[in-house]
Amino acid sequence: MEGDLRAEVTAWIEAHWDPDRSLLDWRRELYASGWAVPSWPARWGGRDLPRSAEDVVARALAEAAAVGLPLGAGMGLAAPTILAHGPDSLRERFLAPTVTGEVTWCQLFSEPGAGSDLAGLTTTARLDGDEWVVSGQKVWNTSAHHADLGLLVARSDWDVPKHQGLTYFVLPMHQPGVEARPLRQMNEHASFNEVFLSEARVPRDHVVGEVGEGWRVALTTLAFERRFGAMARPSVVPSAGRALEEAQVEAAEFFETYKWYPQRAGRPDLVVAQAQATGMASDPVVRQEIARLHALQRASRWTAERARASLALGRTPGPEGSIGKLALSHVARQAARVHSLIAGADGLLTGPDSPLGGVVAEVLVSVPAQSIAGGTDEIQRNILGEKALGLPREPAPDRDAPFRELPRNA
Ligand SMILES: Cc1cc2nc3c(=O)[nH]c(=O)nc-3n(C[C@H](O)[C@H](O)[C@H](O)COP(=O)(O)OP(=O)(O)OC[C@H]3O[C@@H](n4cnc5c(N)ncnc54)[C@H](O)[C@@H]3O)c2cc1C
């Protein structure tokens, strides 16, 4: 079955891929053929195939050195969420331009007073004729300074319990009521933003799911975010041809935001060579810690493979998303520890003469982000405790009262 599929998609790519056409033109044809998103329903541009078909197509495209889908929150978060919850009018408007990369997205969930406790958010949406009017503040919003559209969760009803008063919107970012201010991080990059919403306008029908269903929809996005995993560079071969050149520009722009993510993951790939280069490979403590890192990486990879195999069989995602996310935090922290053992105090230095040209220092100040983004380690442990181990739920005295009546900081 997989062999037939492979042969069919390879033949299609051979007949249609031409590096000299425009990237947009190519992606539109790929989408129209159903091969861009083969596991989606045919009605929305797919082929009703199992999820494993996505990997088959990705491998076939890579082998033909042909360009695939755009990276980022569009295909990672927006498309699967809108596909899952609709309505059809939003599927019609946004799925195709997301697959082709014509529109880019950001995630507007977290607020200064609502991160782990996302359902406590206070950004407010009120209906005014044919538009929702949204005011409030979001924070830590990756790529919001250049995204076209935002996945926004806002409170549309203050008089019901907190999880019931939320609505999920598609927010047009380029408008006077939206101001994204980049935040400078301790690793000197500025990939996320504060976003101020001052009477921002959202068309009435830009609601994903139903009004008041925002929490349920947000959980879908968060599940996809956990599965998102490590960010790999696309396999665009540097060669001539308009589509390839445009794809390289697109990837370069994308990785400008994410260029510190490999450091965030701890750069475990560099430790052995660095231990050897610095003469530390025979140090028994360093060896032991490298072995520990290696074991954590193996276990993390097997968890990811188990999750992929279970999805390919059509099973509902289990706790592997939370386990996998926790495992990545452990790997990142252990890799940072090994880099510190090897480099000693010099690991704090930046500049060309410092360990690995400053990469070690960047690892040390970037790794903490790994255990925060997409839900902290503690939150993953709570999820695992309650959902996988069946432990009693965390006490939530604020769960049932109308949100308006809950005590809040000024
Ligand atoms: C690199 C990066 C990218 C991000 N990108 C985005 C983005 O694009 N869009 C977006 O909306 N957000 C984004 N975020 C924000 C991220 O989702 C939040 O930072 C995260 O959910 C934690 O929320 P918080 O920062 O408010 O911390 P808090 O929720 O205030 O947590 C503070 C501490 O308390 C602990 N804690 C909180 N509640 C509990 C509990 N119930 N049990 C045990 N411990 C608890 C936490 O684990 C943490 O250690 C990003 C964050 C990072 C680091």
Side-chain angles (χ1 to χ4, degrees), residues 107 109-110 115-116 140-142 192 372-373 376 378 382 394:
Q107 183 189 12
F109 281 20
S110 307
S116 303
W140 314 128
N141 312 111
T142 306
F192 40 57
I372 301 173
T376 67
E378 289 76 15
N382 283 349
E394 203 183 358

Side-chain angles (χ1 to χ4, degrees), residues 156-310:
S156 50
D157 188 346
W158 284 62
D159 294 311
V160 292
K162 65 179 188 177
H163 294 87
Q164 293 167 29
L166 302 174
T167 299
Y168 195 119
F169 300 95
V170 173
L171 171 76
M173 293 293 286
H174 306 302
Q175 57 165 309
V178 178
E179 187 193 352
R181 295 189 199 156
L183 288 166
R184 183 68 56 187
Q185 300 146 215
M186 67 177 168
N187 60 11
E188 296 191 2
H189 296 282
S191 58
F192 40 57
N193 303 264
E194 299 177 286
V195 176
F196 294 88
L197 303 166
S198 316
E199 308 241 305
R201 307 275 152 169
V202 182
R204 184 178 186 150
D205 61 353
H206 272 210
V207 171
V208 184
E210 300 285 337
V211 173
E213 256 194 11
W215 182 248
R216 203 165 70 85
V217 183
L219 289 182
T220 300
T221 308
L222 292 172
F224 279 104
E225 190 172 1
R226 271 164 221 142
R227 251 182 272 160
F228 219 4
M231 194 82 61
R233 266 195 177 269
S235 51
V236 177
V237 188
S239 57
R242 181 173 169 188
L244 286 166
E245 282 157 19
E246 288 175 1
Q248 281 162 39
V249 171
E250 181 190 74
E253 276 168 15
F254 175 79
F255 278 103
E256 188 52 32
T257 299
Y258 292 98
K259 64 185 171 192
W260 59 281
Y261 275 45
Q263 280 68 265
R264 177 180 104 160
R267 295 311 300 266
D269 55 314
L270 299 178
V271 296
V272 171
Q274 187 62 358
Q276 285 165 340
T278 53
M280 295 291 278
S282 53
D283 181 294
V285 176
V286 169
R287 292 174 74 82
Q288 182 177 305
E289 293 301 319
I290 290 178
R292 193 169 132 72
L293 171 62
H294 195 61
L296 285 170
Q297 271 186 292
R298 279 281 179 95
S300 165
R301 200 161 60 230
W302 289 332
T303 303
E305 280 169 15
R306 199 169 66 239
R308 255 199 306 278
S310 147

Side-chain angles (χ1 to χ4, degrees), residues 95-149:
L95 290 180
T98 301
V99 174
T100 57
E102 285 163 272
V103 292
T104 57
W105 296 78
C106 66
Q107 183 189 12
L108 302 173
F109 281 20
S110 307
E111 297 185 0
S116 303
D117 179 25
L118 184 61
L121 60 83
T122 57
T123 290
T124 301
R126 89 186 140 74
L127 194 57
D128 178 19
D130 274 345
E131 288 180 320
W132 291 90
V133 181
V134 183
S135 294
Q137 189 199 333
K138 297 286 173 179
V139 73
W140 314 128
N141 312 111
T142 306
S143 296
H145 51 306
H146 46 67
D148 301 313
L149 297 162

